[in-house]
Amino acid sequence: MRVLTVNTGRRKKVGYTSAPSGETGIEKVPVDGPVRVADPGPKGVGGGGLAGDAVCDLRHHGGSDQAVYAFAREELDRWQRELGRPLPNGSFGENLTTEGIDVDGALLGERWRIGASLVLEVTDARVPCRTFAGWLGEQGWVRRFTEHGAPGAYLRVVVPGEVRAGDPIEVVHRPDHDVTVALAFRAQTTRRELLPRVLAAGDAPHPELREAARTYAERTSGAPVS
C-alpha cells in the first residue's frame, strides 16, 4: 500500500464552477519532492491540508475535516477503460493517488500512517459536484459517478508531516464499526435511509455528516438522538 503521486492544483478561472470567485483548483498534477501536510483550520476559513494546493470554494470544500482527498489508482484505471480516455494521476482532483489500499472500504475513523510521521484519519466520502462534472466534461457525470459508488475518501490531519510519491501507507487504527466510505457515500446520495448507521462511527465522521445522520434519525424515529 503506497502513495503513487502527491497532487496539488493552482487557482484557475473557469466557466463551470459555482464558486463565487469563478475559480477552481480541481486541476491537480503530481509534484516532485516532499509536500508538507497540516491541519488547515475550520471549514469556511481553512483551505487544503497540502502546502501549495488551492481550494477555492471554502463554502463546500477544505477545512480540517476535508484536509486531504485520496483516490485509488485502481478506480482511475477502471474509469479510464470505461471512458476510453487517459486519466493521469490527479484527474479526479485527488491530493493522493493511492495503490493497494481499499480507499472506499476504509472505515470512518480509520487512521493511516504515511511515510515517516504523517497520520491521517478518514472522515467522509467525496460527493460529486458541478465543478467536478464540468472539469471531466462527461455527459451525465454526476449520475454515473454516484451510481458506481466508489467516491474516494476525505481525511483529516492527526499528526502533521511530509508526504511524497512512493511513501508507504500503513493502517494503524481500524475502528470497531462497519461504517465505510462507500456506505457513507450511499447514505448521502442514493440511500438516505442508511444515514442513522453513520452514528455508529461516533465522532469520526465529518461534523456535517454526523449532523445529517442525527437529524434524519430523529425525524424518522420521533425521538431525540444524542
Side-chain angles (χ1 to χ4, degrees):
M1 299 187 294
R2 64 179 180 136
V3 174
L4 283 180
T5 57
V6 181
N7 316 301
T8 63
R10 296 182 178 182
R11 289 178 173 270
K12 183 178 181 180
K13 281 277 189 182
V14 298
Y16 52 73
T17 182
S18 59
S21 66
E23 296 177 319
T24 178
I26 197 171
E27 185 177 348
K28 302 198 188 300
V29 296
V31 295
D32 295 326
V35 177
R36 181 70 180 171
V37 184
D39 183 347
K43 189 170 183 179
V45 178
L50 276 70
D53 184 45
V55 175
C56 300
D57 192 348
L58 300 183
R59 302 171 304 167
H60 305 301
H61 303 292
S64 298
D65 302 290
Q66 293 177 320
V68 180
Y69 175 46
F71 197 79
R73 181 63 242 185
E74 292 87 348
E75 281 299 317
L76 281 175
D77 289 341
R78 196 204 73 83
W79 281 113
Q80 191 167 257
R81 292 189 296 271
E82 180 169 324
L83 299 178
R85 55 184 271 197
L87 293 173
N89 294 345
S91 289
F92 280 15
E94 76 273 13
N95 298 119
L96 305 179
T97 308
T98 66
E99 180 182 62
I101 186 168
D102 184 1
V103 177
D104 299 293
L107 299 170
L108 303 193
E110 182 172 306
R111 292 188 176 187
W112 302 350
R113 179 181 290 118
I114 303 178
S117 61
L118 178 64
V119 179
L120 304 178
E121 182 176 86
V122 178
T123 64
D124 203 353
R126 184 258 195 89
V127 175
C129 63
R130 172 184 169 184
T131 301
F132 187 25
W135 162 240
L136 261 293
E138 294 285 343
Q139 187 70 27
W141 178 247
V142 169
R143 175 185 55 78
R144 294 172 71 179
F145 187 81
T146 300
E147 287 176 351
H148 179 55
Y154 281 124
L155 305 102
R156 62 172 64 97
V157 181
V158 178
V159 179
E162 291 183 338
V163 63
R164 69 188 74 203
D167 274 350
I169 302 173
E170 178 187 2
V171 177
V172 294
H173 173 67
R174 192 163 168 87
D176 186 21
H177 60 70
D178 65 351
V179 186
T180 64
V181 169
L183 187 148
F185 181 67
R186 293 197 303 273
Q188 294 174 85
T189 55
T190 60
R191 295 191 58 193
R192 301 283 290 178
E193 72 276 10
L194 293 176
L195 273 170
R197 287 181 58 182
V198 171
L199 297 172
D203 292 335
H206 191 296
E208 292 174 5
L209 174 56
R210 289 202 312 270
E211 180 60 21
R214 186 191 63 78
T215 299
Y216 186 95
E218 289 183 346
R219 186 169 67 246
T220 54
S221 69
V225 175
S226 59

